[in-house]
Amino acid sequence: MLSDAIACIGFSWAASPSCTELETIVLDWLGKAIGLPEEFLTFSEEASKTISSARQGDSETEIHNGKGGGVLQGSASECIFVCMLAARAQAIKRLRKLHPFIEEGVLLSKLMAYCSKESHSCVEKGAMMAFVKLRILEPDENNSLRGATLRQVMEQDEAMGLIPFFVSTTLGTTSCCSFDNIPEIGLVCQQFETVWLHVDAAYAGSAFICPEFRSLMNGIQYADSFNLNTNKWLLTNFDCSCLWVKDRFKLTCALVVDPLYLQHGYAGAVDYRHWGIPLSRRFRSLKLWFVLRTYGISGLQKYIRHHCQLAKRFERLVKSDNKFEVLNDVKMGLVCFRLKDDPTNKLNKKLLETINESGKLHMVPSLVHDKYVIRFCVVAEHATEDDIDYAWKIIKETAVTVVYNEQELTEKREEQVDEVFELSERKKKDDLAYRRSFFVRMVSDPKIYNPIIARSSPGSRRHTHLSSMDDDIHDPLSIATSDTEDTMTQPASSWISWPLAFLFQGVFDDKEGNDVPVRLVI
């Protein structure tokens, strides 16, 4: 509220000295609190802790004694993008010295960036905006990007004439809070002159304020830049994303635009307008200052540890139920779980959708080892064990309902399928019976196929529509006593089956007027 009410537009030191200097101080405070190497800080341990002794009117006063420094950005996406721009500028600068007659656009087309499949989508978006190629690499079975994988691909690209220039790694991935192997990756990047190594710890970076978690950032000394979001897990209002760089001059030279109307006489001061995309900047450092002064390091450590303990409690509850499984290594506040025996992911999608629609909990999905999982993350400042138990109760009850409804729906579908199958089978049997009956009648009753016999049969009512056919049709099977006799006085037609009638044709033709009808039954 106060930072907004002050309405500071802190684009330069001259515009607001307090906004600029407080940002420098609190980022050094936080950098030390999470255990960053001194190379990333504006002031070293030996240097003065404040800049109060600097003479503001003296343009020759240098108030910084290191090349590193920190800046507050709007989001981790901004942090990654500006670092990619800085890396691109450094790579192009070096290549132009080696190939002075090649156009910059051609050199740009050769640049290749790298990240893991588990990296945040903002890396891909940054590459799109920077007009550089990006290769997305497969992590290992623990969703961690390894040095051997990176080395192999970078060497292949270099052999093809491409220039590796930027590697984005992650400590605490969005999908499952996995950690890339920074020591291995850092050693690989050291072998390539133009490569800038960035470490994105937007979520997990806040936990490094606790000494027991700092082993997860081993290898950070190889990095050129590092970012974390205090607005994610360090009780600071959005937006407040912290970025540290080893060499601030490499960052600013890629972004400096210095018109006359923005220049001032305090050359030794930092102008944060050169550290990012926008010109005007909010007084973000005031928000972070209030948090650090209100809670202190010990208070923030207690808060982080409590959340990690609650996440572990939730993990135990999930593992105690054999219908569920946990798919990530729970190190911090995130637990990725799912219902077992769901190869199509239909049950888990329905479970998450039902829970979110209820308004009692809110969770989001992700993919871990190509499986659909539900992400449960402890985020409330004053969350308790009762809250975790309540959340698990809601999840279990909803799961029972979803599974029961799905089973009931499956049974109904199976019943419908069975009913359709039975009707189909019955129809087949009826059709077969009818065809068999018709065939038997066809071969034993000539009235079915011989229209003249049907017409001459007394009392016949079947096939009467054939009586209008030509009377001159020759019927070898009709037996008459005389051509002149009336058909009504003729004897009954023969019931000889048509195959035998054909064979016996003429055998029973009695020229002497035998009026005994012949009937053979087979």
Side-chain angles (χ1 to χ4, degrees):
M1 291 170 61
L2 184 58
S3 64
D4 286 342
I6 290 174
C8 169
I9 309 299
F11 54 83
S12 68
W13 184 90
S16 178
S18 59
C19 176
T20 300
E21 295 182 14
L22 188 62
E23 188 162 335
T24 303
I25 291 170
V26 297
L27 280 164
D28 268 15
W29 283 0
L30 185 57
K32 292 174 185 175
I34 64 174
L36 279 180
E38 284 194 5
E39 299 165 282
F40 289 95
L41 306 179
T42 304
F43 303 104
S44 65
E45 282 294 330
E46 294 76 20
S48 172
K49 300 296 190 267
T50 66
I51 58 173
S52 58
S53 60
R55 291 175 298 167
Q56 296 181 2
D58 185 0
S59 61
E60 299 299 320
T61 301
E62 177 58 54
I63 61 176
H64 307 100
N65 69 328
K67 292 183 3 180
V71 60
L72 290 173
Q73 306 281 9
S75 65
S77 301
E78 272 187 69
C79 295
I80 292 172
F81 181 51
V82 298
C83 288
M84 189 178 288
L85 293 178
R88 188 185 74 174
Q90 291 299 309
I92 293 292
K93 181 179 179 181
R94 178 179 176 275
L95 290 172
R96 289 184 72 178
K97 289 181 179 178
L98 296 174
H99 310 284
F101 302 109
I102 297 180
E103 290 185 6
E104 189 170 311
V106 176
L107 298 176
L108 182 63
S109 68
K110 300 291 185 180
L111 298 183
M112 178 67 76
Y114 304 86
C115 72
S116 168
K117 180 182 175 182
E118 294 296 317
S119 296
H120 195 275
S121 60
C122 66
V123 182
E124 185 176 357
K125 189 173 184 179
M128 290 168 55
M129 294 189 292
F131 289 96
V132 294
K133 298 179 177 66
L134 175 69
R135 197 175 297 284
I136 300 175
L137 308 178
E138 283 292 331
D140 65 9
E141 64 279 2
N142 297 317
N143 291 307
S144 174
L145 181 61
R146 305 301 298 271
T149 303
L150 180 64
R151 178 187 289 108
Q152 180 182 1
V153 175
M154 290 174 74
E155 288 176 350
Q156 289 174 354
D157 286 344
E158 197 172 48
M160 294 172 60
L162 299 174
I163 311 296
F165 83 104
F166 184 80
V167 177
S168 180
T169 58
T170 311
L171 296 180
T173 59
T174 303
S175 62
C176 61
C177 199
S178 59
F179 294 79
D180 291 338
N181 195 310
I182 306 299
E184 291 182 1
I185 294 171
L187 289 173
V188 172
C189 292
Q190 294 292 305
Q191 301 171 13
F192 297 83
E193 259 187 85
T194 56
V195 172
W196 179 299
L197 176 59
H198 178 76
V199 177
D200 174 22
Y203 167 68
S206 297
F208 299 152
I209 202 168
C210 302
E212 61 268 28
F213 291 117
R214 288 180 194 161
S215 60
L216 295 170
M217 62 187 297
N218 286 344
I220 194 64
Q221 67 272 15
Y222 297 115
D224 294 284
S225 53
F226 174 88
N227 77 273
L228 71 85
N229 286 8
T230 57
N231 54 265
K232 270 186 166 56
W233 200 16
L234 212 61
L235 297 169
T236 309
N237 292 344
F238 181 83
D239 54 354
C240 193
S241 185
C242 305
L243 171 67
W244 290 269
V245 291
K246 270 186 181 177
D247 191 338
R248 62 178 179 272
F249 301 108
K250 288 183 179 179
L251 178 68
T252 57
C253 72
L255 301 168
V256 166
V257 177
D258 200 22
L260 181 61
Y261 51 80
L262 293 176
Q263 296 174 14
H264 56 82
Y266 303 98
V270 169
D271 280 352
Y272 280 117
R273 63 188 172 91
H274 300 313
W275 292 55
I277 306 299
L279 171 62
S280 301
R281 308 176 72 254
R282 290 183 291 280
F283 204 160
R284 298 187 184 103
S285 58
L286 193 60
K287 298 187 289 186
L288 188 54
W289 183 85
F290 268 111
V291 170
L292 293 172
R293 293 301 301 268
T294 301
Y295 291 88
I297 300 299
S298 59
L300 293 172
Q301 289 174 341
K302 181 180 178 181
Y303 158 76
I304 294 290
R305 287 167 181 154
H306 180 58
H307 274 196
C308 294
Q309 291 167 1
L310 293 179
K312 281 292 184 183
R313 180 180 182 85
F314 184 79
E315 180 191 23
R316 289 193 295 272
L317 291 172
V318 174
K319 288 184 174 180
S320 67
D321 192 324
N322 57 14
K323 295 191 295 293
F324 291 87
E325 61 181 336
V326 175
L327 271 79
N328 72 318
D329 184 9
V330 180
K331 291 186 173 75
M332 296 186 179
L334 177 67
V335 182
C336 297
F337 71 99
R338 74 192 301 270
L339 281 165
K340 293 180 180 177
D341 304 322
D342 183 24
T344 63
N345 296 321
K346 185 183 296 184
L347 282 177
N348 283 287
K349 288 179 180 177
K350 186 63 178 177
L351 173 61
L352 179 59
E353 180 183 331
T354 305
I355 291 172
N356 287 346
E357 286 179 352
S358 72
K360 297 175 182 177
L361 295 175
H362 182 79
M363 297 176 288
V364 296
S366 186
L367 287 176
V368 178
H369 302 303
D370 295 323
K371 290 184 178 180
Y372 184 96
V373 299
I374 301 172
R375 298 170 71 258
F376 181 90
C377 192
V378 183
V379 293
E381 178 184 355
H382 302 294
T384 64
E385 292 184 352
D386 290 340
D387 295 325
I388 300 301
D389 296 341
Y390 171 77
W392 177 238
K393 179 184 175 184
I394 296 299
I395 292 168
K396 282 189 67 175
E397 290 175 352
T398 308
V400 170
T401 304
V402 168
V403 171
Y404 174 77
N405 290 341
E406 185 64 26
Q407 288 176 347
E408 196 175 47
L409 184 61
T410 302
E411 289 174 0
K412 286 182 179 179
R413 286 173 180 167
E414 289 175 353
E415 289 175 2
Q416 292 173 353
V417 170
D418 291 342
E419 187 177 345
V420 171
F421 179 76
E422 288 175 6
L423 290 172
S424 177
E425 288 297 309
R426 190 182 306 166
K427 186 175 183 305
K428 287 179 182 177
K429 290 177 181 178
D430 291 345
D431 289 347
L432 183 58
Y434 175 77
R435 286 195 295 269
R436 285 175 178 170
S437 172
F438 182 80
F439 178 75
V440 170
R441 289 183 289 113
M442 182 182 71
V443 299
S444 62
D445 189 353
K447 292 189 296 298
I448 291 178
Y449 61 85
N450 195 318
I452 299 223
I453 294 176
R455 183 177 56 188
S456 62
S457 298
S460 176
R461 291 293 181 269
R462 290 185 297 176
H463 306 287
T464 56
H465 66 284
L466 298 174
S467 60
S468 62
M469 295 182 68
D470 189 355
D471 292 341
D472 295 333
I473 295 177
H474 176 67
D475 182 8
L477 300 181
S478 35
I479 301 174
T481 56
S482 173
D483 293 338
T484 59
E485 287 183 0
D486 189 89
T487 40
M488 295 301 294
T489 63
Q490 292 177 4
S493 303
S494 170
W495 281 36
I496 300 175
S497 63
W498 67 267
L500 293 179
F502 180 78
L503 292 175
F504 295 146
Q505 183 176 347
V507 174
F508 299 102
D509 243 349
D510 193 349
K511 295 180 181 179
E512 297 181 357
N514 186 358
D515 60 353
V516 178
V518 178
R519 179 176 179 177
L520 295 180
V521 179
I522 59 170

